[in-house]
Amino acid sequence: MPDRAVPANTTRSNLHRAARLSVAPMMDWTDRHCRYFHRLISGQTLLYTEMVTSPALVRGGALHLLDYSPEEHPVALQLGGSDPDELAQAAKFGAQAGYDEINLNVGCPSDRVQSGTFGAVLMRSPDLVADCIKAMQDAVDVEVTVKCRIGVDDQVPEDILPAFLETVSATGCQRFTIHARKAWLQGLSPKENRDIPPLDYPLVHAMKARFPHLHLSINGGIMTLAQAKALLDEGLDGVMIGRAAYHQPMDVLCGADRVIYAQDAADADPVAIARAMQPYIEAHLSGGGKLAQVTRHMLGLFAGQAGARHWRRVLSENAHKPDAGPDLIDTALEGVLRAA
């Protein structure tokens, strides 16, 4: 398997180019094993961590949450928090760990996040967000960015989103990823907030027209690489894809280097990717890890292809067993190769 990694110390211009397509930060999904797997499929796409809270790093000392593999670059750390000083310290930890970007979560609608006064509830406090961003910028040399919603609850997105962007960008923050849905903090669960509030792509396009100097990415409801390319062709600077990239990684990420980044390279082969994961799995197991911690992210590798059901069944039913090892990948591949 060729080395598809992008070197560390990604420059800001290269980072903006990488942000043409990114995989959304998703709690319990985009951990370091998932990101390593996704990097084998696309060498160019920008990857994000799960949200890591600043209290966990600063007060809890949970610096292990920052662990990642060098092959993941370009990779961004997403932080959750609302205390400028604490976020500055957390951002410093992230920069020292070598992350290419520090992103502030202003979009998560969960009850736990609301109770900590961060996430989507911060859409109501653009001045506080600006203070947080400025404190983080003063603490680190890497780029600090924002992922936000178009509004929350009874806010009127056409009014509050431009005001939010104007206030926060006055700090010098140049890059925003906008989830093109409101978040309803009362009445909808986090899962429902990913689907029920209607998408408003035209509003995001209007923000790009109003703030042409900002690098704006769109997130929410984007299911295919072709849809991502179309949104870029319409003038947006970036597209962030979440669940589709996770559940059908080959459909979304496989052709990304060629379609989005104009790389003259063959698309990754899923069988080769599966085998390339075996040394990584071996290293993870030798460090005391469990096989299922890695393979749970690989279940969609052959989604839509012959043998996909066998692949998923073998990994799902056996990866948790005490004696399961990297050779389980070979067993799972047998059904895929037979069906081909």
Side-chain angles (χ1 to χ4, degrees):
M1 187 73 187
D3 180 7
R4 304 176 68 85
V6 173
N9 302 317
T10 307
T11 66
R12 187 162 298 199
S13 61
N14 287 340
L15 192 60
H16 282 212
R17 180 174 180 273
R20 284 174 58 78
L21 183 68
S22 58
V23 178
M26 293 176 283
M27 293 298 293
D28 299 321
W29 288 9
T30 52
D31 63 17
R32 62 179 302 183
H33 310 307
C34 175
R35 298 192 305 268
Y36 185 93
F37 171 59
H38 284 171
R39 180 58 70 219
L40 291 177
I41 304 174
S42 168
Q44 303 294 318
T45 305
L46 179 59
L47 304 178
Y48 281 81
T49 69
E50 305 170 87
M51 182 185 68
V52 178
T53 69
S54 55
L57 296 176
V58 177
R59 287 181 251 161
L63 297 183
H64 66 278
L65 296 174
L66 301 179
D67 291 346
Y68 69 97
S69 300
E71 292 84 358
E72 294 173 35
H73 289 287
V75 60
L77 168 66
Q78 186 182 68
L79 293 176
S82 60
D83 180 272
D85 292 337
E86 193 168 66
L87 279 166
Q89 184 59 54
K92 190 178 295 186
F93 286 144
Q96 289 170 346
Y99 282 94
D100 300 299
E101 169 194 334
I102 311 294
N103 177 265
L104 180 63
N105 183 316
V106 190
C108 182
S110 77
D111 292 339
R112 182 173 67 86
V113 167
Q114 290 181 56
S115 67
T117 321
F118 56 92
V121 71
L122 286 174
M123 293 300 297
R124 296 176 179 153
S125 307
D127 289 332
L128 175 57
V129 174
D131 289 343
C132 292
I133 293 299
K134 184 64 168 62
M136 296 161 74
Q137 290 171 330
D138 289 344
V140 301
D141 292 329
V142 299
E143 186 170 17
V144 178
T145 68
V146 171
K147 184 174 187 290
C148 65
R149 292 271 182 153
I150 62 173
V152 296
D153 296 337
D154 294 328
Q155 289 182 326
V156 178
E158 292 81 358
D159 295 334
I160 72 97
L161 184 57
F164 177 88
L165 292 175
E166 186 169 359
T167 298
V168 179
S169 66
T171 65
C173 179
Q174 293 291 300
R175 188 146 59 84
F176 296 78
T177 299
I178 303 171
H179 187 156
R181 284 188 176 95
K182 263 190 180 184
W184 286 97
L185 304 180
Q186 303 296 326
L188 292 182
S189 70
K191 181 178 184 300
E192 290 169 330
N193 263 301
R194 292 194 294 267
D195 297 299
I196 292 178
L199 288 161
D200 192 347
Y201 289 178
L203 179 59
V204 181
H205 283 285
M207 294 303 98
K208 180 58 189 175
R210 184 163 175 171
F211 301 97
H213 61 290
L214 296 181
H215 185 292
L216 299 184
S217 294
I218 191 168
N219 172 232
I222 301 152
M223 303 301 293
T224 67
L225 188 61
Q227 189 180 2
K229 180 65 164 58
L231 288 163
L232 292 171
D233 290 344
E234 290 167 7
L236 292 174
D237 300 298
V239 176
M240 177 180 278
I241 303 182
R243 285 166 288 168
Y246 187 88
H247 292 301
Q248 296 96 34
M250 293 302 292
D251 291 346
V252 173
L253 299 177
C254 178
D257 292 0
R258 173 175 47 82
V259 173
I260 304 298
Y261 302 98
Q263 295 287 297
D264 184 16
D267 293 351
D269 171 64
V271 173
I273 288 167
R275 287 178 172 148
M277 285 298 294
Q278 288 177 297
Y280 179 86
I281 289 169
E282 183 68 50
H284 178 62
L285 295 178
S286 67
K290 297 182 168 119
L291 179 63
Q293 291 172 321
V294 179
T295 57
R296 71 186 183 96
H297 302 300
M298 301 171 61
L299 299 180
L301 179 59
F302 295 95
Q305 299 184 37
R309 183 176 298 178
H310 173 86
W311 168 263
R312 289 194 307 270
R313 186 177 69 250
V314 169
L315 294 184
S316 297
E317 294 178 0
N318 297 284
H320 66 281
K321 295 179 179 177
D323 59 344
D327 57 343
L328 186 64
I329 298 296
D330 294 319
T331 304
L333 280 176
E334 288 173 3
V336 175
L337 296 174
R338 279 198 306 267

